Amino acid sequence: MRKKILAANWKMNLSATEAQEWLTQFKSGVSDQQLVEFRLYAPNVFIQHLSEDEEMHVGAQNVHPADFGAFTGETSISQLKSVGAQSVLIGHSERRTYFHESDSFLKEKVDACCAHFFPFIFCCGEDLGTRNGGGHLSFVKKQLEAAIFQLNPQEVSLLTIAYEPIWAIGTGQTATTDQINEVHAYIRSILTEKFGENGANVSILYGGSVNQGNAQGIFSCPDVDGGLIGGASLNAFDFLELASSF
Ligand code: PGA
């Protein structure tokens, strides 16, 4: 079954006090009736504290594929699990661009998640030049091929996809619903062809300048199962309000 997911990606924002305030506000506004799974991708330093709240799905924004070792500044899956993280983002365009993470390195991370049976959101999406040149579909397919085509049917259950066109991230320039649904439907067709029913059931989230004004249009696209939300997730009430757009 495709799950509806609203995932907050705080990136490198908020202090410890602000993170606690966010959680308090979120808890005051969230109801048991919500048909959406909320997730919070927080900076690593806040994960242990935030995940003391057992109802909150807290995840990490990045992980290293090795189990342990001399990788200064990095964090392994076992370490993330030991502080309560329940999943991780892999391949966010900011990791690919600013930290030069290659497709093959991302595949190593995916393989490590599978080895630990640790759920992950795999991010993909094209830059503006590729979009303008009409190569966006083949670009996204290559990203998927390079890092997730090796999954076996059980491992596909760990996978969520986030389609995030780079030109729409943090720019206020959202993709149109036609553009979004074209890519989401294409990704779903690839996953279904490759993994059968398991692939068809993978949740595909959209990310890139989602806010209260555009969420309803985006979340009503037939192949959109939720969102990965950056800027609009930093205020707990704004984030919660997005759930009413499904
Ligand atoms: P944005 O970020 O909502 O601020 O565009 C989304 C993301 O990068 O995940």
Side-chain angles (χ1 to χ4, degrees):
M1 250 270 286
R2 285 160 54 186
K3 248 194 282 181
K4 302 267 180 223
I5 298 171
L6 257 186
N9 176 10
W10 283 357
K11 308 191 180 186
M12 199 174 69
N13 291 300
L14 304 189
S15 66
T17 311
E18 288 165 340
Q20 177 54 52
E21 274 166 13
W22 189 101
L23 188 63
T24 307
Q25 289 173 348
F26 180 85
K27 299 290 289 180
S28 73
V30 74
S31 87
D32 299 345
Q33 313 301 321
Q34 226 96 49
L35 300 169
V36 177
E37 177 180 315
F38 290 104
R39 296 187 184 186
L40 173 53
Y41 290 91
N44 286 353
V45 286
F46 303 145
I47 290 176
Q48 181 153 25
H49 177 65
L50 294 169
S51 57
E52 278 167 15
D53 184 311
E54 284 176 7
E55 282 159 22
M56 195 77 216
H57 177 125
V58 183
Q61 299 170 9
N62 183 35
V63 72
H64 192 277
D67 276 342
F68 54 86
F71 300 102
T72 301
E74 293 292 325
T75 311
S76 70
I77 295 173
S78 315
Q79 290 173 322
L80 290 178
K81 278 182 159 177
S82 73
V83 294
Q86 296 185 47
S87 63
V88 65
L89 304 181
I90 293 183
H92 191 283
S93 63
E94 287 151 17
R95 300 291 323 166
R96 294 178 190 259
T97 306
Y98 305 140
F99 302 96
H100 312 291
E101 295 193 357
S102 64
D103 284 339
S104 60
F105 190 49
L106 298 177
K107 177 177 180 293
E108 283 184 48
K109 296 184 187 212
V110 168
D111 288 342
C113 284
C114 293
H116 288 268
F117 217 69
F118 194 55
F120 58 97
I121 297 183
F122 184 79
C123 306
C124 58
E126 79 286 354
D127 55 90
L128 190 58
T130 304
R131 160 66 62 173
N132 289 340
H136 50 290
L137 294 181
S138 55
F139 185 92
V140 166
K141 184 176 185 187
K142 270 204 193 100
Q143 290 182 320
L144 300 178
E145 239 165 20
I148 63 154
F149 268 29
Q150 75 284 6
L151 298 184
N152 69 35
Q154 286 78 42
E155 292 165 347
V156 174
S157 68
L158 301 171
L159 170 69
T160 299
I161 298 276
Y163 168 60
E164 300 201 302
I166 296 172
W167 46 274
I169 294 178
T171 58
Q173 190 192 344
T174 328
T176 65
T177 49
D178 282 350
Q179 288 173 322
I180 294 170
N181 214 49
E182 180 197 29
V183 181
H184 279 235
Y186 181 64
I187 292 172
R188 194 170 307 288
S189 73
I190 292 174
L191 296 176
T192 306
E193 193 183 323
K194 181 74 195 159
F195 303 115
E197 202 184 327
N198 293 15
N201 284 329
V202 169
S203 295
I204 307 176
L205 316 182
Y206 169 77
S209 298
V210 177
N211 57 42
Q212 281 94 339
N214 57 30
Q216 193 147 23
I218 294 170
F219 296 154
S220 54
C221 290
D223 279 300
V224 174
D225 301 309
L228 181 57
I229 319 294
S233 75
L234 294 176
N235 177 298
F237 296 122
D238 290 350
F239 178 61
L240 263 174
E241 209 181 303
L242 294 177
S244 59
S245 302
F246 281 89

